[in-house]
Amino acid sequence: MLQLCLSWLGLGPVAASPWLLLLLVGASWLLARVLAWTYTFYDNCRRLQCFPQPPKQNWFWGHQGLVTPTEEGMKTLTQLVTTYPQGFKLWLGPTFPLLILCHPDIIRPITSASAAVAPKDMIFYGFLKPWLGDGLLLSGGDKWSRHRRMLTPAFHFNILKPYMKIFNKSVNIMHDKWQRLASEGSARLDMFEHISLMTLDSLQKCVFSFESNCQEKPSEYIAAILELSAFVEKRNQQILLHTDFLYYLTPDGQRFRRACHLVHDFTDAVIQERRRTLPTQGIDDFLKNKAKSKTLDFIDVLLLSKDEDGKELSDEDIRAEADTFMFEGHDTTASGLSWVLYHLAKHPEYQEQCRQEVQELLKDREPIEIEWDDLAQLPFLTMCIKESLRLHPPVPVISRCCTQDIVLPDGRVIPKGAHSLRGRSLLGSKREHQGEVTSGFYSLLGRAQKLHRAGVRHG
Ligand code: HEM
C-alpha cells in the first residue's frame, strides 16, 4: 500500500488508496478553479469600478427587478439614462455585471470591433438557440461569414420586387378584418396582435410560399412561433430558469420544446418537398422560368445557393436560416409598424399629410395597390417611418461579450469577458431621446412587445 506523507499538515503517514489520491487531485483541481474564478471576478469588479451604477435593490439580486417590463419600468430606465448618459453598470444577481452603453462615442469601439473581438452574447441570445439553431442571428465566425455571403442574393431587388404583391394582399386581409370588427362595434383593437399576424402571414408566403390564412383562422404553426417568442421573453426575466436543466423541467420549458418540434417539423417538411421538385441541372433556366411564373421564395434561394467552392447548404442550415427569418422578420416589422401607427395617432396633422401623399400617388389607379417603384415616391411617409424607428426602435439594444479588453475613448477599459448591452439607435441620435430608445433593454429578446402594446393602447 502507498504511504502518503501528510506531515506538513501535522499528520502522520497514512495509507493512500488510489481513490484517496483521486479525491485529493479532484479537490485540488476544484480549489484551483474556485481560486482562479474568484481572482478573475474580483479583478473584473475592480476594473469595472470606473463605470457608475445605481443603488442596488438587494445584495443578492442586485438590480434585478429595477426595470420591469411596464411603463413604470420605461420611466425608470429613462431616468437612468438621463442620470448616466455615457453608460452604466447593472448587476443581474451577485456575480453578473452588465454594462449598458448609451453614448455613441462609447458604443463605437464595440461596433467597429471585429466579430471575433465583440461576438454576439450567447447569454442573452442563447435561449433562442434550440429554436433558431445556427442561423445568421446566432452563428459566428466562419460559418456566419460563409452564410452571410450565400444569403446576399436573397436581398436582390429582383427577388424582393414580387413580394410587393404578397404584402399588398396580406395588408388588405388585415384592413378588411379591421373594417369588419369596427362595423361590429369594436372600438379598440390591439394593433400589435393584428399586425403580427399580418407580418407572419406575409413571411410564411415569402419564405415558404405557404398560405396558412392565419389572419382569418387559427394556425398551429403561427401560434407556435408566437408562443416561442413569448417564452423566450418570459425566460429572460426569470433568472432561476436560465439553466436548461431547470427550465426544461417546468411546464413552460416543456411547451417550449413541443413548439420547437412543431416549427422544425413544418420547415423540414417544406425543405424535403422542395428538394424533390428541384432540378439537378439547368438551374439557371429553372430559376428564370420560376421567377417569371411565380415568386422565388426564400427556401428556393437557400436551396440553390452555393459557396465559392460550390458547396450547398445542408438541410439543417436551411432550416436554421428559414426559422431565423420567420422570427427576425415578424416581430421587428410588427413592432415597427405598431409604433408608426402610434406616432401618427399622436400627431394627426402628420397623419393627414401622409394620407394625402398616398392618396395623391394612388389616384386614378386600378387596382389600388402600392408598387415597388412607388416606395421612392413617398418622401414624407418615409420620413415619418424613419423618425418612428428612431424614437422607438424595434430592437432597442444589442448585446455583445468582449473576448479582449476594449479601450474606450475616455481611457476606461471594458475588460475581456464583460457583457455589454448597447442602445443601438443611440448611434447618432440626440441625447434627449436616449431614455426613450433604450427603454426596452430588459425585453431584449422579446423585442419590447409589451412596450408596443402599452404604447398603442395609450395612443
Ligand atoms: C424594422 C425591422 C427590423 C429591425 C429594426 C431589425 C433589426 C435588427 C438588428 C438590430 C439586428 C442585429 C442584431 C445583433 O447584431 O445582435 C438584426 C439582425 C438580423 N435581422 Fe433584422 N431587423 C428588422 C427586420 C428584419 C427582417 C424583415 C428580416 C428578415 C426577413 C431580418 C432578419 C435579420 C437577420 C437574419 C439578422 C441576423 C444578421 C446577421 O447577424 O448577419 N430583420 N436585425
Side-chain angles (χ1 to χ4, degrees):
M1 178 70 74
L2 281 168
Q3 289 288 306
L4 192 64
C5 178
L6 296 178
S7 55
W8 57 281
L9 283 175
L11 302 170
V14 292
S17 73
W19 292 115
L20 187 60
L21 277 174
L22 202 68
L23 195 72
L24 264 177
V25 171
S28 314
W29 176 84
L30 201 67
L31 188 68
R33 291 294 300 259
V34 171
L35 286 176
W37 181 87
T38 312
Y39 174 77
T40 314
F41 174 67
Y42 276 102
D43 191 44
N44 270 347
C45 288
R46 187 183 52 78
R47 299 177 73 190
L48 286 172
Q49 260 169 5
C50 53
F51 294 94
Q53 68 180 51
K56 285 187 189 174
Q57 308 276 92
N58 170 298
W59 73 268
F60 184 78
W61 294 112
H63 298 98
Q64 289 268 346
L66 176 67
V67 186
T68 50
T70 57
E71 288 207 46
E72 206 44 52
M74 285 176 82
K75 285 187 194 140
T76 309
L77 197 58
T78 305
Q79 190 52 50
L80 281 173
V81 181
T82 312
T83 315
Y84 310 106
Q86 299 279 317
F88 53 99
K89 179 176 61 192
L90 292 179
W91 286 88
L92 306 183
T95 58
F96 191 101
L98 181 67
L99 287 179
I100 318 284
L101 307 178
C102 310
H103 196 278
D105 293 341
I106 301 286
I107 295 171
R108 200 166 292 116
I110 298 196
T111 40
S112 51
S114 75
V117 172
K120 288 169 189 162
D121 186 352
M122 281 306 142
I123 291 198
F124 288 97
Y125 291 148
F127 301 147
L128 290 162
K129 195 85 175 175
W131 171 18
L132 305 184
D134 257 347
L136 275 184
L137 184 66
L138 302 185
S139 60
D142 291 343
K143 186 167 193 173
W144 175 81
S145 323
R146 177 173 171 263
H147 285 206
R148 189 75 202 228
R149 282 196 302 275
M150 290 173 83
L151 264 64
T152 307
F155 295 97
H156 192 278
F157 68 86
N158 277 341
I159 303 266
L160 299 179
K161 252 183 188 178
Y163 292 166
M164 289 299 290
K165 286 239 165 292
I166 294 179
F167 299 151
N168 272 302
K169 204 172 147 199
S170 300
V171 169
N172 286 342
I173 296 173
M174 183 176 73
H175 286 164
D176 289 347
K177 202 164 62 167
W178 285 354
Q179 257 168 3
R180 199 177 59 236
L181 288 168
S183 67
E184 285 165 7
S186 302
R188 280 166 168 251
L189 297 177
D190 184 336
M191 302 302 235
F192 184 72
E193 216 170 81
H194 288 257
I195 297 176
S196 295
L197 280 180
M198 185 275 290
T199 56
L200 279 164
D201 195 15
S202 306
L203 275 162
Q204 220 180 354
K205 291 169 187 161
C206 297
V207 175
F208 301 111
S209 298
F210 190 88
E211 304 245 359
S212 65
N213 296 323
C214 65
Q215 297 195 72
E216 303 288 9
K217 62 180 178 59
S219 149
E220 241 191 341
Y221 170 76
I222 298 296
I225 292 195
L226 290 168
E227 201 178 22
L228 286 169
S229 311
F231 277 142
V232 170
E233 187 196 0
K234 189 170 167 197
R235 186 175 177 193
N236 212 25
Q237 316 284 333
Q238 300 168 310
I239 197 160
L240 292 178
L241 298 182
H242 281 200
T243 49
D244 282 351
F245 174 72
L246 285 182
Y247 185 62
Y248 289 114
L249 289 178
T250 64
D252 276 7
Q254 283 159 18
R255 280 173 62 193
F256 179 83
R257 196 172 258 162
R258 273 200 298 279
C260 268
H261 282 308
L262 197 146
V263 168
H264 291 167
D265 287 349
F266 175 86
T267 313
D268 284 339
V270 177
I271 297 170
Q272 293 317 320
E273 177 58 33
R274 206 63 65 80
R275 275 218 189 277
R276 272 196 285 279
T277 52
L278 206 67
T280 46
Q281 49 200 3
I283 282 188
D284 285 346
D285 289 341
F286 167 79
L287 279 184
K288 270 186 213 144
N289 286 337
K290 199 166 180 192
K292 252 186 239 156
S293 62
K294 165 186 172 301
T295 308
L296 206 61
D297 67 25
F298 190 50
I299 294 285
D300 290 326
V301 176
L302 293 172
L303 280 167
L304 295 168
S305 63
K306 289 191 175 132
D307 66 11
E308 299 80 6
D309 305 324
K311 251 183 96 189
E312 295 174 357
L313 291 169
S314 69
D315 283 1
E316 199 186 333
D317 288 340
I318 294 178
R319 185 179 83 189
E321 298 302 351
D323 289 345
T324 297
F325 270 56
M326 284 303 296
F327 166 68
E328 257 295 335
H330 91 271
D331 210 27
T332 46
T333 42
S335 64
L337 286 166
S338 302
W339 278 116
V340 171
L341 294 184
Y342 169 80
H343 288 121
L344 289 177
K346 294 264 278 187
H347 300 280
E349 68 283 17
Y350 298 141
Q351 187 187 139
E352 190 46 40
Q353 224 170 313
C354 289
R355 182 175 292 112
Q356 276 174 15
E357 192 177 63
V358 174
Q359 280 173 347
E360 180 62 24
L361 188 80
L362 294 180
K363 76 170 184 261
D364 308 327
R365 190 176 297 184
E366 203 48 59
I368 307 176
E369 271 188 3
I370 301 270
E371 291 166 13
W372 177 268
D373 292 334
D374 294 334
L375 298 178
Q377 310 301 322
L378 295 164
F380 189 75
L381 178 62
T382 306
M383 281 195 290
C384 289
I385 294 173
K386 286 185 177 169
E387 179 64 355
S388 173
L389 284 170
R390 190 182 72 84
L391 288 172
H392 289 101
V395 186
V397 291
I398 57 174
S399 151
R400 294 292 183 265
C401 179
C402 308
T403 58
Q404 284 177 18
D405 286 3
I406 294 190
V407 183
L408 301 178
D410 59 8
R412 286 183 296 177
V413 176
I414 300 180
K416 171 184 169 181
H419 302 267
S420 61
L421 292 183
R422 288 172 287 143
R424 178 173 163 273
S425 60
L426 294 184
L427 297 167
S429 71
K430 287 199 219 119
R431 223 177 107 182
E432 59 263 34
H433 293 298
Q434 289 178 354
E436 284 174 88
V437 291
T438 49
S439 56
F441 92 93
Y442 44 84
S443 54
L444 172 67
L445 297 168
R447 301 285 142 82
Q449 293 183 10
K450 290 199 172 70
L451 304 187
H452 301 305
R453 293 202 185 108
V456 172
R457 280 211 195 100
H458 285 253

